[in-house]
Amino acid sequence: MTTGPLSTPPSEARNHPINPWWVDAVIYQVYPRSFADADGDGMGDLAGVTAQLPYLEELGVDAIWLSPFYVSPQRDGGYDVADYRDVDPLFGRLEDAERLLDAAHAAGLRVIVDLVPNHTSSAHPWFVEALSADPNTEAGRAVRDRYMFRPGTGADGAEAPNNWQSTFGGPAWTRSTNPDGTPGDWYLHLFDSSQPDLNWDNAEVRGEFEDILRFWLDRGVDGFRVDVAHGLVKAEGLPDHHARPGMVTDAEPLAAAGDADAGEDVAGHRESNPQDHAHPVPYHDQEGVHEIYRSWNAVLAEYDHDPVLVAEAWVSPLERLFRYVRPGEMHQAFNFTFLLAGWDAVRMSDAITVSVQEAEKVGAPNTWVLSNHDTVRHASRFGLADPTRYPNGLGAEDEQPDEALGWKRGRAAAMIELGLPGSAYIYQGDELGLPEHTTLDDSLRQDPTFVRTEGAEKGRDGCRVPMPWRADAPGFGFAVGHHVNTGPSPVNPNTPATPGHDAGAAPLTAAAPWLPQPESYGTYAADRQVDVVGSTFELYRQLLGVRGELDLGTGAFAWSRFHSPELGVLAFTVATGGGQGGYDLDSGDHIPEKVALVMANMGQTAVEVPEEYAAAIFSHDEAMQDGQLMPDSAAWFLRR
Ligand code: GLC
């Protein structure tokens, strides 16, 4: 895989001393439900994350981001929070969060937690109080004002206040019942009906979230990934909007007004190009959100350990996205335009060009990402006949990805992502090359999208399948520290017992994982990859090591003379400081820097590569043949 010597540096060498840590950090997303199960109940937990920290240290990431672990009825995988200051018993206790923070910090890993400010769970005490309050009293109005209650329209207020649709399908409004049993006002929920939207014009809401930030900062967290950061503020008067909100795009029009299916039949909306979205959406990307993030920036600035705010903002075009990371606001914003480009050199080239320009304008780093807990895993998307498709989940009756092709392209895409200057996020399992579970039984699906679209969209369960740690263990070793699975998962009673259990064989027993893994996960298991030459894990480890050694994350980006997106070739150089002399690969000029040339062949034919380089890394064993880079491959050529 490698020619020439490449060493892996200690992670401390990585960050430029004058930059805050997050500028070039590689951050690993942990989805706690599915990372590692320490207590053996079939559901991942915080003690499981702590137990697996050595694995992340070996991989060489700088930080972890934990998806929500707070008290929650789990109607949307924890993104329905009932108590922002405590841990759900499914995942442990507050002490487990503190222990995890301590252990991660001791291992040199920073920890980002998820913050969900657009909505609470309907089980949150505030919402319970709002529903039981008398709307005709001042006190009742005050507690209801924390949410978005509005009178209905039509006869007796039986129609929703406006035509907004939920991101998960169906209407964005649900009618409440007054304490006296009569039908009441409607409340807004851009997501599930169990996720009422908060009213960000309310001063108490603003104060509460500043307190929540401090609660976790006082416990040492290193930042927050801000959920639906583009959604908190709604346009004055809540005007109608003729599109269903996509997490990705708002471009899909609803059926014509009066059509019986209006608002329901919008399956496939996520496949639209976000660049098409140019119209103002009354619940997304409103100007008022920026003031909120400026106030949060000030809260974080009270702490001296450089905590970071990361925006999850499905906003386009990129010019709008980068407004979230202007000085004094957030620090990072996930680049979903890059994620959505798919395996396509022209689209990816455009996304990178514009991202680099826009980032420069505001002086913020780029934040690259290929997959997360909301997307079909890129190793599977890139194996579809159209590798730019972005379906919301895949099921057994859908087109099945070409797994081998997706595996190759997924590894090559990682070489693009991790070669680019800026910060990069890895979704748990990316480093194992995990594919999506594309044949999950519908009866096991838990994503509210599946139910709310009446099955038209499979939803996100297929990318949330528990991690395979050990190929030969039941549940592929998801229950870390346990040896045997004895029966169905108590946390998802529909999950069948893992085959092959033997209750007498080992002292510790565990339930089957809350979602079953596909058979193929055995070949991807961590114990088949760690220390195995040529494995995806080892490729990631090597890329992270070299990225750190050369400081690629803070390097200077330029398209190279090999760049030819129309022919499917993506090629850029990253020049990095380091005090050693070197020669530019393209021009041959002497420059006081180290240079890496990142090349990906996303086309159909083999392509020429530079003749001279000190060392190279290839995306897989057959990537280079007869001195040429083969299709569906990538390489880093290093010149010092
Ligand atoms: C974000 C989360 C997603 C969640 C939604 C509602 O997009 O990433 O998982 O369903 O917000 O909170």
Side-chain angles (χ1 to χ4, degrees), residues 66-147:
L66 295 160
S67 280
F69 50 75
Y70 314 110
V71 176
S72 161
Q74 303 291 326
R75 293 279 295 273
D76 182 25
Y79 283 94
D80 47 326
V81 181
D83 182 351
Y84 290 83
R85 296 180 180 83
D86 207 353
V87 173
D88 195 279
L90 268 183
F91 305 122
R93 300 185 311 157
L94 192 54
E95 292 75 16
D96 294 301
E98 288 166 347
R99 220 167 281 141
L100 170 53
L101 273 163
D102 287 348
H105 288 158
L109 294 166
R110 291 184 168 88
V111 180
I112 294 173
V113 296
D114 220 303
L115 186 75
V116 188
N118 181 67
H119 44 264
T120 69
S121 160
S122 52
H124 190 286
W126 273 8
F127 195 68
V128 174
E129 196 180 2
L131 286 187
S132 61
D134 181 348
N136 300 312
T137 64
E138 202 176 314
R141 279 193 293 274
V143 296
R144 287 161 60 92
D145 190 58
R146 297 162 176 157
Y147 292 93

Side-chain angles (χ1 to χ4, degrees), residues 76 79 116 119 168 191 195 225 227-228 247 312 314 373-374 460 464:
D76 182 25
Y79 283 94
V116 188
H119 44 264
F168 293 159
F191 294 89
Q195 295 166 295
R225 175 267 189 189
D227 191 65
V228 199
M247 290 175 67
E312 186 226 18
W314 293 92
H373 66 292
D374 293 326
R460 301 161 294 174
R464 300 175 174 181

Side-chain angles (χ1 to χ4, degrees), residues 29 87 113 192 242 244 337 372 487 519 522 548 583 624:
Q29 182 189 355
V87 173
V113 296
D192 189 57
H242 294 279
R244 170 178 159 199
T337 303
N372 63 33
E519 269 313 300
Y583 290 89
M624 271 287 274

Side-chain angles (χ1 to χ4, degrees), residues 161-237:
N162 69 19
N163 72 347
W164 292 2
Q165 300 294 300
S166 151
T167 313
F168 293 159
W173 296 93
T174 293
R175 193 167 194 181
S176 67
T177 303
N178 289 321
D180 65 5
T182 56
D185 287 344
W186 297 67
Y187 66 89
L188 177 69
H189 51 87
L190 288 184
F191 294 89
D192 189 57
S193 55
S194 65
Q195 295 166 295
D197 276 48
L198 285 162
N199 172 19
W200 276 88
D201 285 335
N202 180 294
E204 209 183 341
V205 169
R206 293 194 180 222
E208 171 71 356
F209 274 85
E210 292 187 10
D211 281 356
I212 293 167
L213 291 174
R214 290 196 180 90
F215 177 88
W216 289 105
L217 287 165
D218 289 343
R219 277 162 186 74
V221 306
D222 299 286
F224 302 88
R225 175 267 189 189
V226 180
D227 191 65
V228 199
H230 56 316
L232 276 51
V233 172
K234 280 77 182 176
E236 192 65 41

